[in-house]
Amino acid sequence: MNRVSIIRVNEYSGIYQAIESSINLVGSFDLKGKRVLLKPNCLMPSKNAITSPEIVGNIAKWVKNKGGTPIIGDSPMSGGKTALEIYKKVKYKGKSGFDIITEIENEVEWTSFLENPILISKEIMKFQRLEKTAISSNFVNADFIINIPKWKTHFLTKFTGGVKNYWGVQIGKVKSRSHSYGNSPDKFSVVLTDLYSYIKKINKDNLIIMDAINIMHGTGGPSFGVMKELGLIITATNSVSLDSVAVSIGGINPFNVPTLKYCHQRGLGIADLNQIEILGNSINDVKCKLNFPTITIGDTLGLLQPLYSRATRKIPRVKRYKCIKCGTCIDLCPTGSISLNKITQYPEFRRSTCISCLCCVEGCPNHAIKAHSAGIYGIIGLV
Ligand code: SF4
Ligand code: SF4
């Protein structure tokens, strides 16, 4: 079923009503007696970078009203080990003043994605690039999954929505290691497609409700970027179709987002808008021009491609005036390429082992690391 609903929140009397209407448009769901895992994006304690707590809280209420048990979990990149820790740090109430901690902390279960990993590997799953990873059993063993991504651009993959939000079901630092299997935007998109193929295989891409109320676009996503109020909730039962509609609202063709193209080609979902039934508002009703990061055009350059790749390879640099010397980036680096300078205590990068995964950029709690193109230094092999 390739239905996607687009709902304008301000056309309803509240967020709960908007969410319920968006869900009813894509299907009916029997949650009675089921343990329902809600998977928001809790990347880091920054209100702009996470799924709004008022969306998560109201979905939890909807699950309870349907007779299910809501459980909220994520594996953040930095600033906390659980979704609860992130929401407690952010203290963000959303536009309606909904305080997730006061209103539902004790009404739902909060889970960690750190224990009892389920190991999966390339051989067993027939992945193309992802060698091995570890998925939280708390995710795998839930009866029903509600994936709750936030609409954000991503400097590597152009867009992070429903498909990319499953990155956070890998436990703790395993996420950083998985980055190392895709050391370019294109290869990383293949890794993401591999992971999503596992989610589909175990039948966990059940219901996806995207927070597109205050979205983040521009080149700094997924950690920081330009905020814009779209005021939308987008809902579907397949992440590929949902993301395809979401990027089309922002003005780009879904097939220009490598992950969506690969998922479509591998039969994991539909990215072709002609094959998606769009309910509620149309894309044209809500369309606006949003800025997406550009991705390498190296594939079209033939023999010049290696030079182009070396010049456009992203390398991290520290903005010292922002760095608080916390060392988080050292923990996040999958290749051990970061150390603190013994005298200044600022991070230093070992370029020879850096794979340009940009986990350090994504996870720095103070946005103190920026990705630069290697330029001429990359071409002559100095970085
Ligand atoms: S660059 Fe960021 S993560 Fe690394 S030490 Fe500085 S503030 Fe911490
Ligand atoms: S230094 Fe940063 S970009 Fe390079 S491998 Fe480590 S985390 Fe990835």
Side-chain angles (χ1 to χ4, degrees):
M1 187 167 65
N2 296 308
R3 283 189 193 150
V4 178
S5 69
I6 305 172
I7 289 294
R8 275 199 181 104
V9 174
N10 66 9
E11 290 175 357
Y12 293 82
S13 54
I15 286 202
Y16 184 91
Q17 290 74 15
I19 289 169
E20 187 170 52
S21 300
S22 75
I23 297 170
N24 289 342
L25 284 172
V26 299
S28 58
F29 302 91
D30 176 14
L31 302 182
K32 203 159 193 274
K34 291 186 177 161
R35 292 178 61 74
V36 180
L37 187 110
L38 279 52
K39 163 66 179 79
N41 182 334
C42 291
L43 176 70
M44 62 204 304
S46 158
K47 74 182 175 72
N48 290 341
I50 60 173
T51 308
S52 168
E54 62 186 338
I55 299 263
V56 180
N58 278 289
I59 293 172
K61 284 184 175 180
W62 176 79
V63 170
K64 284 192 87 166
N65 290 340
K66 297 283 287 180
T69 302
I71 308 156
I72 302 174
D74 194 15
S75 175
M77 191 73 162
S78 72
K81 292 191 170 83
T82 63
L84 179 60
E85 284 177 20
I86 296 293
Y87 282 126
K88 278 192 168 174
K89 275 192 182 177
V90 169
K91 296 192 180 101
Y92 172 51
K93 299 185 180 183
K95 219 173 171 183
S96 66
F98 184 95
D99 183 342
I100 194 167
I101 302 305
T102 310
E103 293 201 35
I104 65 157
E105 180 180 357
N106 301 319
E107 303 288 317
V108 301
E109 289 182 28
W110 297 83
T111 190
S112 155
F113 284 178
L114 294 175
E115 302 96 31
N116 306 319
I118 291 172
L119 304 178
I120 53 174
S121 68
K122 190 175 186 177
E123 291 72 36
I124 296 168
M125 297 304 305
K126 309 257 183 301
F127 292 148
Q128 294 184 2
R129 290 203 69 87
L130 181 60
E131 292 288 339
K132 57 184 176 181
T133 190
I135 309 290
S136 165
S137 55
N138 290 338
F139 173 84
V140 174
N141 294 333
D143 298 322
F144 191 89
I145 302 293
I146 304 182
N147 181 12
I148 321 174
K150 178 176 175 115
W151 198 115
K152 292 191 288 181
T153 49
H154 192 288
F155 54 62
L156 270 183
T157 57
K158 272 196 180 177
F159 184 68
T160 169
V163 174
K164 174 73 169 62
N165 199 35
Y166 291 119
W167 196 251
V169 306
Q170 300 174 96
I171 62 161
K173 288 184 185 174
V174 168
K175 293 192 295 298
S176 297
R177 188 186 64 195
S178 297
H179 261 283
S180 67
Y181 304 127
N183 58 359
S184 73
D186 199 64
K187 289 173 184 164
F188 183 57
S189 299
V190 177
V191 173
L192 273 176
T193 307
D194 284 340
L195 182 64
Y196 183 64
S197 72
Y198 170 73
I199 304 294
K200 290 291 291 179
K201 195 172 180 78
I202 61 171
N203 195 23
K204 296 295 176 187
D205 193 37
N206 303 135
L207 176 63
I208 310 97
I209 305 171
M210 175 177 276
D211 171 5
I213 296 181
N214 284 303
I215 64 97
M216 179 191 282
H217 68 128
T219 55
S223 308
F224 54 100
V226 180
M227 301 306 292
K228 183 175 174 67
E229 187 171 342
L230 282 193
L232 303 176
I233 290 173
I234 309 170
T235 301
T237 53
N238 177 281
S239 287
V240 179
S241 295
L242 181 138
D243 288 354
S244 299
V245 168
V247 299
S248 302
I249 289 171
I252 65 168
N253 184 326
F255 288 94
N256 288 338
V257 179
T259 313
L260 298 179
K261 182 175 73 178
Y262 297 143
C263 284
H264 183 93
Q265 287 170 348
R266 284 164 66 172
L268 300 170
I270 300 293
D272 180 353
L273 295 181
N274 294 320
Q275 298 176 51
I276 300 173
E277 185 184 4
I278 298 172
L279 303 150
N281 293 99
S282 71
I283 291 177
N284 281 336
D285 286 341
V286 296
K287 202 168 184 173
C288 59
K289 180 88 184 89
L290 298 171
N291 291 326
F292 290 81
T294 52
I295 285 192
T296 176
I297 54 167
D299 288 350
T300 62
L301 292 179
L303 291 175
L304 291 177
Q305 202 268 335
L307 285 183
Y308 178 86
S309 295
R310 272 150 59 182
T312 54
R313 180 190 158 201
K314 296 290 185 194
I315 53 169
R317 280 197 201 125
V318 173
K319 291 191 252 178
R320 287 190 171 193
Y321 67 96
K322 281 191 163 185
C323 177
I324 53 172
K325 305 178 180 178
C326 65
T328 301
C329 50
I330 296 172
D331 288 341
L332 292 173
C333 179
T335 57
S337 302
I338 311 178
S339 55
L340 290 185
N341 181 289
K342 286 196 174 66
I343 298 165
T344 66
Q345 293 293 301
Y346 287 113
E348 290 181 330
F349 302 94
R350 195 186 321 118
R351 303 295 183 200
S352 58
T353 53
C354 171
I355 55 165
S356 298
C357 68
L358 304 184
C359 289
C360 52
V361 177
E362 196 170 318
C364 169
N366 233 30
H367 308 319
I369 309 181
K370 201 159 168 31
H372 294 264
S373 294
I376 188 70
Y377 297 103
I379 292 175
I380 61 180
L382 284 180
V383 292

